[in-house]
Amino acid sequence: MPKLELLPAVDVRDGQAVRLVHGESGSETSYGSPLEAALAWQSAGAEWLHLVDLDAAFGTGDNRDVISEVTGAMDIKVELSGGIRDDASLEAALATGCRRVNLGTAALESPEWVAKVIAEHGDKIAVGLDVRGTTLRGRGWTRDGGDLYETLARLDAEGCARYVVTDIAKDGTLQGPNLGLLRDVCAVTDRPVVASGGVSSLDDLRAISLLVPEGVEGAIVGKALYAKAFTLEEALKAVAV
Ligand SMILES: O=C(O)c1ccccc1N[C@@H]1O[C@H](COP(=O)(O)O)[C@@H](O)[C@H]1O
């Protein structure tokens, strides 16, 4: 059985590494330099970095210079999210050298464009399914964007390679992942799923690991690492098989 991939998160707002609660603008706790955070996760043994431009996701500007600096400094694979909604932003994101990008709002509002870029770029494109209940949310998680399962069926048919599934109610709360949601998504798609939101302990990571046979490929870890609930080294050991 393959081991669960861990993706430590660096979310960038106004040039700083931050964590939000429920993805709400204004709920930021700042953790300093994004580059220092990313280098720390790399040194600790991460194979992936989940890097988010929160200003681009919220429509409050962007952190392109910081994102390029961080991505350029990484020897590990980078998954890049936030504000990738058209040809120009997609080209800029891919030009950073990231391994793949996550599309959020665009998958809800620009389905034809998303189908086109999935066809062009294959597994360099993942879709972030950010949900409250089973309703997708876009534009910095401020607007409803349709039904999770209808959208998933459409994206599957278009050949989407992978989904990053975030339970917004759990994100940044250290309350544990929504294992039921992950199971439900895995039951309706054969594409790999990256779990996001709520990880608070090594036991949470072990519980997500048990879903690898059902299709969960990875887990994003944010607040728990910054709050020092455990170290990344401990997390990698906990999911090693
Ligand atoms: O990661 C967050 O905490 C977050 C909070 C609020 C909005 C977006 C967030 N992150 C990721 O950004 C992309 C969505 O950006 P866009 O809609 O494509 O511009 C998605 O991967 C979210 O998970």
Side-chain angles (χ1 to χ4, degrees):
M1 186 176 78
K3 73 173 170 24
L4 184 75
E5 292 174 347
L6 294 185
L7 299 88
V10 175
D11 289 14
V12 185
R13 184 121 212 227
D14 205 12
Q16 297 293 296
V18 300
R19 300 311 305 161
L20 306 180
V21 180
H22 303 309
E24 279 169 19
S25 186
S27 69
E28 291 92 336
T29 303
S30 183
Y31 293 96
S33 157
L35 180 59
E36 278 178 28
L39 288 170
W41 306 142
Q42 177 171 274
S43 297
E47 293 177 13
W48 277 96
L49 179 72
H50 176 77
L51 182 59
V52 184
D53 187 339
L54 283 177
D55 285 298
F58 284 120
T60 53
D62 67 70
N63 296 279
R64 274 196 188 172
D65 291 349
V66 176
I67 296 287
S68 294
E69 180 191 26
V70 172
T71 308
M74 292 294 103
D75 299 323
I76 59 175
K77 295 168 276 192
V78 177
E79 168 181 281
L80 191 53
S81 305
I84 304 165
R85 301 180 186 174
D86 56 22
D87 286 327
S89 49
L90 176 60
E91 269 174 39
L94 292 174
T96 63
C98 67
R99 176 62 188 80
R100 66 180 182 235
V101 300
N102 292 335
L103 307 179
T105 301
L108 313 179
E109 298 185 359
S110 310
E112 287 172 11
W113 179 76
V114 169
K116 179 189 83 141
V117 298
I118 286 172
E120 282 172 5
H121 297 285
D123 73 356
K124 280 188 170 287
I125 306 284
V127 168
L129 299 168
D130 305 321
V131 292
R132 273 198 181 276
T134 57
T135 301
L136 291 158
R137 301 279 283 175
R139 300 219 165 237
W141 299 351
T142 60
R143 285 201 210 159
D144 283 352
D147 177 71
L148 167 62
Y149 295 103
E150 285 173 18
T151 302
L152 193 48
R154 181 212 349 128
L155 291 163
D156 260 10
E158 290 165 357
C160 185
R162 166 179 287 96
Y163 302 105
V164 178
V165 176
T166 304
D167 182 350
I168 294 170
K170 296 279 194 178
D171 202 54
T173 66
L174 296 174
Q175 287 177 354
N178 186 338
L179 300 172
L181 172 68
L182 296 169
R183 268 194 211 99
D184 290 347
V185 169
C186 288
V188 297
T189 181
D190 59 0
R191 312 302 150 78
V193 167
V194 177
S196 172
V199 169
S200 69
S201 66
L202 296 176
D203 279 346
D204 287 341
L205 292 175
R206 291 186 191 103
I208 297 174
S209 281
L210 294 176
L211 300 182
V212 167
E214 293 177 44
V216 175
E217 175 186 67
I220 293 169
V221 193
K223 186 81 165 267
L225 288 175
Y226 290 89
K228 302 192 191 308
F230 49 78
T231 66
L232 185 57
E233 289 91 335
E234 289 168 334
L236 290 164
K237 204 167 155 195
V239 300
V241 283

